[in-house]
Amino acid sequence: MKRIFIFLFTFFLAFHTINSQNISETIIKREDLKLDNSNSWAISAGVSNFIMHGDLRSVGTGNLGNFWNFGGYAYVDKMFNPLLGLELKFNYSKISGGAQYFSDVYEILYLKSTKITNNLFFRGTAYGGELNIIFSFTNLYIANASKWHFTGYFGAGYHQYDSALFERLPNGTDNLLIDFGNNPARNSVYEASSIYLSAQIGLKYRINKRIDIELRPAWYFNYEDHLDAAISNKQDWETYLVTNLGLVIKLGKKKIFTIWGDDGKDKRKPFQIIDSDKDGVIDELDIEPNTPKGVMVYGNGKAIDSDKDGLPDYKDKCPLKFGPESNNGCPIEIDSDKDGVIDSKDLCPDTPGEKDNKGCPKQDKKEQITQQINLLATSIYFDTNRSSIKSVSYSSIDKIIELMKQIPNAKFLIEGHTDNKNTAQYNLILSQKRANAVKDYFIKSGINPNRLATIGYGESRPKYSNENDGGRQLNRRVEIKPIK
């Protein structure tokens, strides 16, 4: 029985997931049925008929004829949208049944020398509650349903019952064999109980804006085997059918209930796939729905930014080079030492040098390498108010590590700097953290920690103007200088 419940539960989850994924292009989108302008609560009550299908049955029985079991129900519904909702339902019913006229004779457990025969029957009452997920099949496939509505209900519940098993004697009297309302043999002093799963199909007819009538057949799987007061080895699980018929009252002051139109006056518009900017991402999922035609975008519709400098490629004059937005996404071309070689290409940006020597004066290998290291350090970037290194910086850092390994006896001072955002004390601490972050990466990459020192200067040594975003971004930097 447990395997059946696990299977059904897994099937229900899979069914729900598959349908949720497949309805994206067929779901009905109705502007007039949003929750803010439609009623979403309803209550219902009605009569029910219970049919047992276990060791004993309510119909198709033997000498005792069919058993008709009537009861009642009530529920309250809440719709979250035209497709999905939740229901709390309460049930009460008489329950009874007899042996099938074609049943084989087999033993009943917990009763000595008792077998399923045509003179056995059970009777009792059952009451309980269940929680169901509501799924509207009509609103999934039909754009305008104003009179008929087809709905599925899937859920689980709990009920108690006082089933008692009787034997009809030849003289017409009934002999009590076992009572699950008070059954010492089962260590059950009070009424028996069980959890159950249910699958139900509801067909509603709209009488008017306030009232519907609903016919709902339901199939139940009972976890225990004693609902019919008979436990056997032949059948260790039970099902039963319940047919419900009742009136539904829709609550609220709005003219429309969530699952209905309004006498055909409220037009339901089919879902439309709209892609305003023709980038292949529908507007509902596009975070930039108005990108220019032909612009390449990511899966969420955002324009591609190849160099991750915050400026999309179609606006970036240097789409493959990291640069501030204030300079149209291009690196700022400054020639600090006035030697005719811009800093981005100058291996010695602070020292006048020769053009044929990449902006550096003629010098020995160690000096060249240290100047190259300091130049590469200008390509190490940080986010505002953070000490984490931007991913675009790691290619330059790895080149620095290779150069450091070429001069293993050289020691270096890593200076941290910030822009002028926040207080001077905060920026001083932040600059030290940035210098330490670079040092830690060097150490993890094999550089001896004894060769490295760090210091943070905060905002005290700006290299560029702090009056614009581009300058502030360049001031969030580290400088790597040799220790002599």
Side-chain angles (χ1 to χ4, degrees), residues 181-218:
N182 186 350
N183 181 18
R186 294 274 296 168
N187 296 322
S188 177
V189 178
Y190 303 105
E191 295 174 330
S193 63
S194 176
I195 60 174
Y196 58 81
L197 295 179
S198 71
Q200 309 173 36
I201 297 296
L203 181 62
K204 291 181 179 178
Y205 177 77
R206 186 184 186 200
I207 297 176
N208 54 44
K209 292 180 180 180
R210 184 62 63 185
I211 298 175
D212 300 337
I213 187 170
E214 180 182 31
L215 175 66
R216 187 195 300 190

Side-chain angles (χ1 to χ4, degrees), residues 191-380:
E191 295 174 330
S193 63
S194 176
I195 60 174
Y196 58 81
L197 295 179
S198 71
Q200 309 173 36
I201 297 296
L203 181 62
K204 291 181 179 178
Y205 177 77
R206 186 184 186 200
I207 297 176
N208 54 44
K209 292 180 180 180
R210 184 62 63 185
I211 298 175
D212 300 337
I213 187 170
E214 180 182 31
L215 175 66
R216 187 195 300 190
W219 188 18
Y220 289 86
F221 297 83
N222 204 57
Y223 184 76
E224 298 290 349
D225 186 27
H226 48 46
L227 181 59
D228 58 4
I231 302 175
S232 70
N233 287 325
K234 183 175 181 180
Q235 182 166 304
D236 60 357
W237 58 281
E238 296 174 329
T239 62
Y240 59 95
L241 305 175
V242 177
T243 303
N244 303 285
L245 179 64
L247 295 177
V248 182
I249 299 176
K250 294 161 282 190
L251 306 178
K253 298 180 180 179
K254 304 294 176 59
K255 293 182 178 180
I256 310 170
F257 188 66
T258 305
I259 65 171
W260 295 107
D262 188 20
D263 295 331
K265 297 177 183 178
D266 296 283
K267 297 180 180 180
R268 297 189 250 178
K269 300 178 181 178
F271 179 80
Q272 296 180 357
I273 297 178
I274 300 175
D275 180 12
S276 301
D277 52 12
K278 309 300 180 185
D279 61 359
V281 182
I282 63 174
D283 287 1
E284 289 195 359
L285 303 177
D286 198 331
I287 64 174
E288 293 180 357
N290 296 310
T291 52
K293 185 177 180 180
V295 171
M296 295 183 66
V297 299
Y298 298 112
N300 60 0
K302 184 176 182 180
I304 289 178
D305 178 13
S306 300
D307 54 12
K308 309 298 182 185
D309 60 2
L311 201 63
D313 288 1
Y314 76 94
K315 293 182 179 180
D316 197 330
K317 291 187 177 179
C318 303
L320 301 179
K321 294 181 180 180
F322 189 92
E325 186 175 351
S326 59
N327 199 41
N328 297 317
C330 291
I332 297 178
E333 296 185 350
I334 299 174
D335 183 9
S336 302
D337 56 11
K338 309 301 182 182
D339 61 0
V341 182
I342 60 175
D343 288 0
S344 61
K345 296 182 179 180
D346 196 333
L347 296 181
C348 306
D350 297 319
T351 304
E354 305 294 332
K355 287 186 178 181
D356 59 357
N357 197 36
K358 297 183 178 179
C360 293
K362 302 286 184 177
Q363 52 193 198
D364 60 29
K365 178 180 178 181
K366 182 177 179 179
E367 290 181 353
Q368 289 182 357
I369 289 177
T370 56
Q371 289 187 354
Q372 290 178 42
I373 289 173
N374 192 39
L375 173 63
L376 288 168
T378 62
S379 298
I380 301 175

Side-chain angles (χ1 to χ4, degrees), residues 145-161:
S146 60
K147 285 297 181 182
W148 295 96
H149 195 273
F150 188 52
T151 307
Y153 302 84
F154 309 94
Y158 171 84
H159 62 168
Q160 290 186 308
Y161 40 88

Side-chain angles (χ1 to χ4, degrees), residues 75-119:
Y75 69 68
V76 58
D77 282 357
K78 166 64 178 176
M79 296 301 297
F80 302 118
N81 54 53
L83 279 179
L84 294 174
L86 200 62
E87 173 186 85
L88 182 61
K89 185 167 178 273
F90 301 95
N91 304 293
Y92 176 86
S93 180
K94 291 184 177 181
I95 56 176
S96 62
Q100 300 175 87
Y101 65 87
F102 54 83
S103 292
D104 297 329
V105 176
Y106 56 91
E107 292 184 356
I108 299 176
L109 302 181
Y110 306 104
L111 288 176
K112 294 181 180 180
S113 303
T114 303
K115 298 181 178 181
I116 293 288
T117 58
N118 279 340
N119 64 333

